[in-house]
Structure formats: C-alpha cells, structure tokens
C-alpha cells in the first residue's frame, strides 16, 4: 500500500533527519558566533505556552531577567547542533538573571521527549511548545533556528538567524554585558 | 591619447558588477549519486543540493502533514538550499526573483514559501516551515537553510539565475547545468 510504504519511509527519514540535514553530500555550514544588535530595540510580545510537563510559562514571569529565546524543531539540523552550546551558556549564567527558553515549533511533547533522549547533552532549560507557531509568528521568525535576546526591560535587543555556537566567548561576552 | 568608447560600453562596464556571478563548485556524492552546487558571490553564499521526490515526500510526511500536501510537494523539483551572509553588511535573498531557465529558453519562476504557506492555510494546515523564506534579510553571520521548489520534472537540466540585494542594489548571478534530482536514487 502506498500510504503505509510512505509512512515507513517517513519514519526512517524522520530519524535520519535528526542526524543529517539532507543527503550526505550537503556541506554542514559552521555555526556562527555573532548576535546582531537591533538598531532600535522593540518590546517583546508576551506569550503563555506550556512546557514538557504542561506547566504554563509566560514571558512576563521572566521580566527583570535577560531571556534568550531559541525557536527550534527536532527536524532542523542546525537546531540540534547548537543545543549543547545553548545548555553550556545557560549553565554559565545559571546563578545570574538569565534564562533560556527553547520554543519548539509544531511538534508534540512526546516527540520532543524521545528526541531529547538522543542528545549528548540533555537541556536543563525549559522547552516550551508553540504548537501553532503563533509565538514565532509574533516574533517575526521566518526560518529555524532563530534566536532573540530580550533585555531586563523586556525589549528584543539581539537577534540571530541560523545556527550559533552559543558557547563562543564573543556570545558569552555579549550576554554578560546585558546581565551585569 | 584619448580613447573614446560608445556610451553603451560605458553603461555595460558600470553594470558588470551587478550581473557577474562567482565561481561555481559542483560536487557529486559517490554514495548517493546526487549532486550539489555551491557559489560564493561577493559575500552571498548559495548552495543547492539535489533531492529525490521520495525523500522530499518523506520529510513532509514525517511532519504529520496531510497526504495531499505531501503529494503536492513531491510533484516539484526540490533542492536543499543553504544561504549564508559572508559579508559584513545585511543582505537579502530574493528567491521570488530567481528564474530557472530550461533548454527551451523558458524562464520558470520558483514556487515561493509564501505561496506554499498560503496554499496550506487554505487546506487548514498552519504549518509554515521547511521552505526557505523568499524575503529573509540576513545580517552578517546569519544563515538559513530550507527547500526551494520549482514545477519541473525530475532530471530537468536548467540554468539558475539567482538574485540578492545589498545596500539597495540588486545583484544577479547564475549557475549553469543544474539538474533536478532523479525520480529515483541511483542505487535505488
């Protein structure tokens, strides 16, 4: 049957996609280490979405902290590649007014949970679920991954399109300037 | 000695930087038999990777999208596409201005992400990922990857005329000898 054949292939490719961006010959671009400062910071749109345990998280709850929001999905190869460095950055500033929110697009908690088990570094920051991509839309996100940094006043001040090495000293320095 | 050039020559010299592309690198994977092309053109980096229809269909099916959406995308010539901004100033990738010029001289427009998303929305599907945005501005260090699509049969050979803009200028380049992925993988 066409449908079951397609479903089997989908499962196979779905798991392959977690490991590779596309057929093997595609070069894997290096992760960048720049965050672009917005010429004019804009107020971050508020949202309330749930985490893995169904607990609601509102952006308002993080007011007074620097918040890095990472829009991602399990099928997005650079999202997977940057995740360990995101955890490293989170740990580095854990005791300071800094938060990381990984806002997943379109996927279910069950799917993401099984994906997390395959990661070398398990993220300890909240994973939130934007099932209808409404939050990413409000932030003007067009592609994944995209990250934004919100300052303590609740304004979007930095933006990055494409995968980043968040453990890079340049990014750490930029975050430190905002946190301190 | 004073040299006199016709005005049209002068105009051509002025326009030349806007129409000359960079060097194209072609790679064929010995494992899959599929090809990729990469060009770096004045800070604009573009890479296209052949994909086979079943792979594309499987990618969309594994997102849980309806069979009719999966079948529709599978009927297109799809490339995995990576765009990078290697310059030190913002640039915009103008996918909507790209043209796929086939051997008969016909210039085919791509089906843009906006067109796909609008079509999916009409079917009640809110999905808006996987396709490369056609109106994305990339700051220095930014990059993006996604699918680009055109309605051409598997194996079609064409010249891609690509376009991007920076500092208010539109730049154009081309890659000759691009080929849509085959209907089936070579080992298949």
């Amino acid at each position: 049957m066409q449908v079951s054949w397609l479903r089997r292939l989908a499962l196979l490719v779905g798991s392959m996609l977690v490991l590779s961006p596309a057929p093997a010959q595609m070069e894997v671009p290096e992760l960048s280490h720049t965050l672009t400062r917005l010429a004019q910071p804009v107020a971050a749109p508020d949202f309330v979405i749930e985490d893995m345990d169904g607990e609601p998280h509102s952006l308002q709850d993080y007011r007074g902290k620097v918040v890095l929001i990472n829009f991602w999905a399990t099928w997005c190869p650079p999202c997977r590649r940057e995740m360990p460095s995101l955890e490293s950055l989170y740990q580095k500033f854990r005791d300071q007014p800094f938060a990381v929110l990984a806002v997943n697009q379109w996927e279910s908690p069950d799917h993401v949970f099984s994906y997390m088990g395959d990661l070398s570094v398990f993220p300890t920051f909240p994973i939130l679920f934007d099932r209808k991509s409404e939050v990413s839309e409000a932030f003007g996100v067009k592609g994944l991954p995209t990250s934004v940094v919100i300052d303590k006043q609740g304004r979007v001040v930095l933006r990055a399109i494409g995968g980043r090495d968040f453990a890079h000293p340049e990014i750490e320095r930029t975050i430190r300037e905002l946190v301190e | 000695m004073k040299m006199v050039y016709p005005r049209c020559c002068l105009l051509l010299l002025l326009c030349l930087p806007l129409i000359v592309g960079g060097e194209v690198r072609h790679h064929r994977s010995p494992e899959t038999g599929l090809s990729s092309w990469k060009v770096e053109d004045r800070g604009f980096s573009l890479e296209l990777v052949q994909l086979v229809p079943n792979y594309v269909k499987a990618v969309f099916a594994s997102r849980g999208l309806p069979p009719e959406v999966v079948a529709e995308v599978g009927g297109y010539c799809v490339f995995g596409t990576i765009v990078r901004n290697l310059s030190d100033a913002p640039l915009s990738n103008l996918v909507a201005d790209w043209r796929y010029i086939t051997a008969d001289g016909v210039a085919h427009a791509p089906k843009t992400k906006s067109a796909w998303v609008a079509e999916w929305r009409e079917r009640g599907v809110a999905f808006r990922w996987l396709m490369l945005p056609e109106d994305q501005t990339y700051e220095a260090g930014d990059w993006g990857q996604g699918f680009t699509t055109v309605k051409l049969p598997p194996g079609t050979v064409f010249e891609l005329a690509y376009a991007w803009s920076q500092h208010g200028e539109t730049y154009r380049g081309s890659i000759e000898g691009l080929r849509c992925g085959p209907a089936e993988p070579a080992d298949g």
Side-chain angles (χ1 to χ4, degrees):
Chain A
M1 291 285 284
Q2 177 76 7
V3 172
S4 62
W5 170 85
L6 195 59
R7 187 165 292 159
R8 282 201 301 274
L9 184 61
L11 284 170
L12 176 65
V13 171
S15 56
M16 282 167 56
L17 278 175
V18 169
L19 301 173
S20 74
Q25 77 277 19
M26 185 179 255
E27 281 182 26
V28 179
E30 279 180 33
L31 296 176
S32 309
H33 56 266
T34 55
L35 300 175
T36 301
R37 201 171 290 276
L38 270 63
Q40 290 193 315
V42 293
D46 192 26
F47 57 80
V48 182
I49 44 178
E50 294 181 348
D51 65 15
M52 287 273 213
D53 302 318
E55 292 294 323
H57 289 244
S58 165
L59 186 58
Q60 286 283 357
D61 299 341
Y62 295 89
R63 184 59 66 89
K65 290 185 177 182
V66 173
V67 184
L68 192 159
I69 301 180
N70 177 246
F71 296 95
W72 73 289
T74 60
W75 47 262
C76 154
C79 303
R80 179 184 173 92
R81 286 168 57 212
E82 68 181 0
M83 194 65 91
S85 71
L86 206 49
E87 173 63 16
S88 169
L89 183 72
Y90 177 62
Q91 289 297 338
K92 189 146 282 186
F93 291 96
R94 186 159 197 154
D95 298 327
Q96 297 178 60
F98 177 68
V100 172
L101 302 175
V103 179
N104 177 272
Q105 298 301 304
W106 188 257
E107 299 174 300
S108 70
D110 285 349
H111 180 85
V112 171
F113 187 76
S114 58
Y115 156 84
M116 289 296 175
D118 292 337
L119 286 176
S120 56
V121 177
F122 197 92
T124 56
F125 45 78
I127 307 288
L128 309 181
F129 291 88
D130 184 19
R131 297 294 298 273
K132 294 179 180 173
S133 297
E134 290 168 338
V135 176
S136 62
E137 183 109 49
F139 277 84
V141 176
K142 294 177 179 174
L144 302 178
T146 292
S147 298
V148 297
V149 178
I150 298 165
D151 68 8
K152 291 176 183 175
Q153 289 75 46
R155 303 174 306 168
V156 179
V157 289
L158 300 167
R159 194 175 178 93
I161 297 170
R164 292 297 190 273
D165 174 9
F166 288 102
H168 193 279
E170 198 173 316
I171 291 184
E172 282 183 23
R173 189 167 54 247
T174 306
I175 297 297
R176 183 167 290 109
E177 284 169 9
L178 287 171
V179 166
E180 288 175 349
Chain B
M1 190 172 111
K2 188 177 176 184
M3 297 186 73
V4 180
Y5 295 96
R7 275 188 189 166
C8 62
C9 290
L10 195 60
L11 194 64
L12 186 65
L13 283 171
L14 287 171
C15 291
L16 208 54
L18 306 187
I19 57 175
V20 174
E23 186 190 345
V24 178
R25 284 190 287 144
H26 172 242
H27 174 74
R28 188 168 185 274
S29 166
E31 291 88 23
T32 65
L34 296 174
S35 286
S36 66
W37 294 264
K38 186 174 184 180
V39 64
E40 288 183 11
D41 193 349
R42 289 159 287 181
F44 175 74
S45 169
L46 174 65
E47 182 177 5
L48 295 117
V49 181
Q50 270 184 344
L51 299 174
V52 295
N54 281 344
Y55 176 86
V56 174
K57 285 193 277 189
V59 169
F60 280 83
S62 62
R63 304 279 69 77
L65 296 169
E68 61 271 23
V69 167
V70 174
E72 178 71 10
V73 177
Y76 275 71
C77 167
V78 181
F79 285 85
T81 309
I82 299 175
V83 171
R84 287 187 81 98
N85 181 358
L86 302 175
S87 75
D88 56 5
L91 62 77
S92 299
N93 181 27
L94 306 176
V95 178
D97 288 351
W98 291 12
R99 290 296 178 268
Y100 299 67
I101 303 158
T102 42
D104 55 6
V106 176
H108 303 261
K111 182 163 180 175
T112 62
K113 175 177 176 174
S114 297
W116 281 112
V117 170
E119 203 171 284
W120 296 336
R121 195 178 295 127
E122 279 176 19
R123 294 177 192 264
V125 178
F127 188 75
R128 62 182 189 90
W129 306 110
L130 288 174
M131 299 298 184
L132 190 74
E134 77 269 24
D135 55 351
Q136 182 85 71
T137 296
Y138 298 93
E139 300 286 341
D142 279 350
W143 61 286
Q145 82 180 50
F147 294 148
T148 46
T149 62
V150 63
K151 189 70 176 168
L152 289 173
T156 303
V157 177
F158 62 90
E159 175 188 347
L160 175 68
Y162 57 86
W164 81 101
S165 68
Q166 191 170 41
H167 302 307
E169 297 277 8
T170 296
Y171 296 87
R172 297 180 192 282
S174 69
I175 305 175
E176 292 181 358
L178 273 164
R179 184 187 289 270
C180 297
E184 298 288 342
D187 59 358

